[in-house]
Amino acid sequence: MMLISSLSSQYNRIQILAEAWLAQGAQAFSVYERGRLLASWPDGQRMLPPDLTAPITRYNDVVGELHLSGLRGEMARQRLQAEASLIGDILQLEHELQCMAADLVTSQNQQLALYRLTQAMRDLVTIRESLAAIVTEAQRMLKGRAGFAIYAPAQRDDTIVVQSTESDLDPDLIWQLSRQVQREDRPLIIGEDDSRFSYLPGIRNLLLLPIRVRGEVIACLGIVDRADTIGTPELKLGRAIADQASAQIERILLYQEMLAQARLRSEMDRARRVQTALLPRVLPEIAGLEIYAASRPALQVGGDFFDVINLPNHPFIFTIGDVSGKGVSAALLMSMTRTALHSKARFMPAPTPALVMRQSNADLYHDFTRIGVFATVFVGQYVAEQRAITYANAGHAPVIYRPRHGAATLLLAGNPPHRSCDHYSGARWLSTYGAG
C-alpha cells in the first residue's frame, strides 16, 4: 500500500524514467508491488517477461520491484538498481514525513490538552483540588480505565490521596507504591505478568509517575489499565503532565506560605500595637525631675519594657526590664513581668524597690523556670525629700548614671536576673542632687 500511494503521488516522475528507458530501446518498463503489477509503459507490453529486475527497499524491507524488458547489460542493470534505490528513498522520506505529521498532530493535541489542564488549575488553591483535576485530565489523555494521585510529604499525617470514581485501590497500597517511586525517583511501569506486584489483583497494567516538588519527589500520579501498551510516547506525555502537576503544587505551597506570612505579619502587627499600648503613653510630672522614656524593639515585638507608677501618697516608682528572647513569646513574658511589677508597686502599702523585686520574683519564679527563660529588671524609687533614688537591680545592664557635673558611672547589678528566687539586698541610694 505504501508503494501504490507513492506511485500515485510520484507518477509523473516515474513516467519520465519509463519514457527514458523506452527511448533507449527498452520494450517495457513496469512497477510491481509484492508480485502485483502497479503500472507499465507502454500499456500494450505488460506481459513481456523481464530481462532485468531491481528490488525497491524501504528500511531494508523489499516492498516492490522494477522490471525492464528488451535491454540487458551491466550498465542497464546498474541504472535500474539506482532508480529502484531512488524510489525506495522517496518511499522512506514519505513515510518519515507522514510520521512527523502524525507526531505534530499528536503533539498539538497534547499541548492543547496541557493548556486546558493549566487553565483548569489556574484558580485552584488547594492541593486536593489540583490533584483531582490532574487525575481527571491524565486519565483522559493517557486513556486509562482509572487514575489516582497522592501527595505524600515526610509527615504521613499530611498525606492526600485522590482517586477517580473508577479506582478502588486501597489508600495504604497507593502510599506504598508512592514510596517505591520516591526511592527510585523514576517512572514505574507494572505489567499484568510482573511477579513483583502480585498483590495488585485485577490490574492489567499500571503507570506510576513521580512528581518532583522543590527538588524532592513528594507526589505521584498513577494511571490504571491503559488499553494499549505503555511506550515512550505515553511516558513523555505522562512526564509532561507530572511537570504541570509539579508547577501547580509549588504554586500552591508558595501561596500558602505567603498567606501564612501575611497572617503572621498581621498577628505581629497586632501584638506590636498591644505591646505599645501597655507602655505608658503619658509620663508623670514630678517636681524636681525631667522624665523621658521610649522603647524601640529590634523586631516588631520583643521583651523590653519600661513602666512608671505615680499614685497619690505613694512614692514615684519606675521600672526597666528585658525578658530573654525575641518575638511574640518574649512579648507575652514581658507582659507578665510588667504586670507583676506594676501590681506590686501599685498595691503594696509601703513599696520599695527591694520589696517589689522580691515579691514579683516569687510570683514569676516557677513559671519562668518551667519554660527556661529569665528577665533582667531594674526598679527605681524617687525619694523627693532627700532628692535621691533608691533602686534594686536584678541583672539589668547597662544602667548608666551621670551627674550634671560628673562622669558617667555604670550602676552594677547587685542581684542575678529575675528567676533565682533569692532575697534581694536592701535599697541602694543614689543622690540626684545636681544630676543631669
Side-chain angles (χ1 to χ4, degrees):
M1 296 299 293
M2 172 61 72
L3 185 54
I4 193 172
S5 174
S6 179
L7 184 63
S8 299
S9 62
Q10 303 294 331
Y11 184 85
N12 291 335
R13 290 184 172 86
I14 297 176
Q15 184 176 7
I16 292 173
L17 296 178
E19 290 175 349
W21 282 111
L22 295 176
Q24 292 291 324
Q27 294 178 339
F29 179 84
S30 306
V31 181
Y32 283 78
E33 181 181 34
R34 306 185 190 280
R36 182 169 62 95
L37 179 64
L38 298 180
S40 179
W41 293 267
D43 290 340
Q45 303 294 332
R46 295 184 179 183
M47 303 306 295
L48 290 175
D51 293 302
L52 294 174
T53 63
I56 301 172
T57 61
R58 180 175 66 89
Y59 299 113
N60 299 322
D61 182 25
V62 177
V63 296
E65 287 182 334
L66 295 182
H67 289 193
L68 185 65
S69 302
L71 289 178
R72 297 179 182 179
E74 183 62 20
M75 291 184 62
R77 185 185 65 80
Q78 291 180 3
R79 176 181 167 184
L80 189 65
Q81 288 180 345
E83 292 176 353
S85 177
L86 177 62
I87 295 173
D89 291 341
I90 292 173
L91 292 177
Q92 187 166 319
L93 287 173
E94 287 188 343
H95 178 261
E96 290 173 355
L97 286 173
Q98 290 174 0
C99 291
M100 290 176 60
D103 289 342
L104 286 173
V105 171
T106 301
S107 177
Q108 185 179 23
N109 292 337
Q110 291 177 357
Q111 290 178 6
L112 181 60
L114 290 173
Y115 174 77
R116 287 198 300 265
L117 176 60
T118 302
Q119 293 298 105
M121 294 190 300
R122 184 178 56 184
D123 298 327
L124 302 180
V125 295
T126 69
I127 293 178
R128 182 177 294 277
E129 290 175 334
S130 299
L131 291 180
I134 290 165
V135 167
T136 300
E137 198 64 25
Q139 181 183 347
R140 184 186 65 81
M141 294 169 65
L142 290 170
K143 298 179 176 60
R145 177 184 61 82
F148 64 86
I150 178 172
Y151 172 75
Q155 294 77 21
R156 188 172 180 181
D157 292 341
D158 297 332
T159 298
I160 299 174
V161 177
V162 174
Q163 300 192 64
S164 65
T165 55
E166 299 83 1
S167 178
D168 56 357
L169 292 176
D170 186 353
D172 287 336
L173 176 59
I174 294 176
W175 187 83
Q176 293 174 15
L177 291 171
S178 71
R179 283 303 184 212
Q180 179 167 346
V181 173
Q182 285 180 326
R183 288 192 301 269
E184 298 180 0
D185 192 10
R186 61 183 177 85
L188 180 63
I189 300 176
I190 301 173
E192 189 174 15
D193 56 349
D194 196 330
S195 59
R196 296 175 302 163
F197 302 96
S198 57
Y199 55 85
L200 297 173
I203 293 180
R204 297 193 307 274
N205 56 65
L206 181 64
L207 172 61
L208 295 168
L209 296 159
I211 299 175
R212 182 176 291 274
V213 179
R214 295 179 176 179
E216 296 182 4
V217 178
I218 61 173
C220 179
L221 173 64
I223 299 298
V224 180
D225 288 348
R226 174 178 159 81
D228 300 326
T229 58
I230 301 173
T232 301
E234 290 72 34
L235 281 176
K236 289 182 178 179
L237 177 57
R239 286 193 179 99
I241 298 173
D243 289 343
Q244 290 286 336
S246 173
Q248 174 69 4
I249 293 175
E250 289 192 7
R251 185 184 69 82
I252 290 175
L253 292 177
L254 180 61
Y255 170 78
Q256 292 175 347
E257 290 169 357
M258 293 175 60
L259 194 64
Q261 289 176 1
R263 188 180 297 113
L264 178 60
R265 284 195 297 269
S266 176
E267 292 176 356
M268 293 290 286
D269 186 63
R270 190 178 299 112
R272 180 187 58 79
R273 293 197 300 269
V274 171
Q275 184 179 30
T276 302
L278 291 175
L279 299 177
R281 295 187 178 183
V282 179
L283 297 175
E285 296 182 0
I286 306 296
L289 295 180
E290 291 183 5
I291 303 173
Y292 172 80
S295 176
R296 185 168 60 184
L299 301 176
Q300 286 183 298
V301 292
D304 299 319
F305 69 93
F306 68 89
D307 195 13
V308 293
I309 301 96
N310 185 39
L311 299 173
N313 303 319
H314 271 63
F316 171 64
I317 292 178
F318 62 93
T319 62
I320 304 172
D322 183 15
V323 176
S324 61
K326 298 295 180 184
V328 175
S329 60
L332 292 173
L333 297 171
M334 177 277 285
S335 178
M336 292 173 56
T337 306
R338 175 194 170 279
T339 300
L341 291 166
H342 191 94
S343 63
K344 294 298 182 291
R346 185 180 181 89
F347 296 109
M348 289 176 65
T352 66
L355 286 174
V356 170
M357 189 83 77
R358 184 183 304 118
Q359 293 193 21
S360 299
N361 185 72
D363 289 347
L364 298 172
Y365 173 76
H366 294 292
D367 290 336
F368 275 41
T369 301
R370 187 165 55 249
I371 58 179
V373 297
F374 64 88
T376 61
V377 177
F378 180 94
V379 179
Q381 183 182 60
Y382 176 61
V383 182
E385 296 80 4
Q386 298 165 339
R387 292 180 57 81
I389 292 176
T390 179
Y391 69 89
N393 190 345
H396 196 75
V399 179
I400 301 172
Y401 167 70
R402 187 185 69 82
R404 176 177 295 180
H405 302 295
T409 59
L410 185 66
L411 302 184
L412 300 176
N415 294 281
H418 197 57
R419 201 184 74 182
S420 65
C421 210
D422 289 342
H423 292 289
Y424 286 87
S425 62
R428 295 189 176 211
W429 292 87
L430 178 66
S431 173
T432 64
Y433 181 78

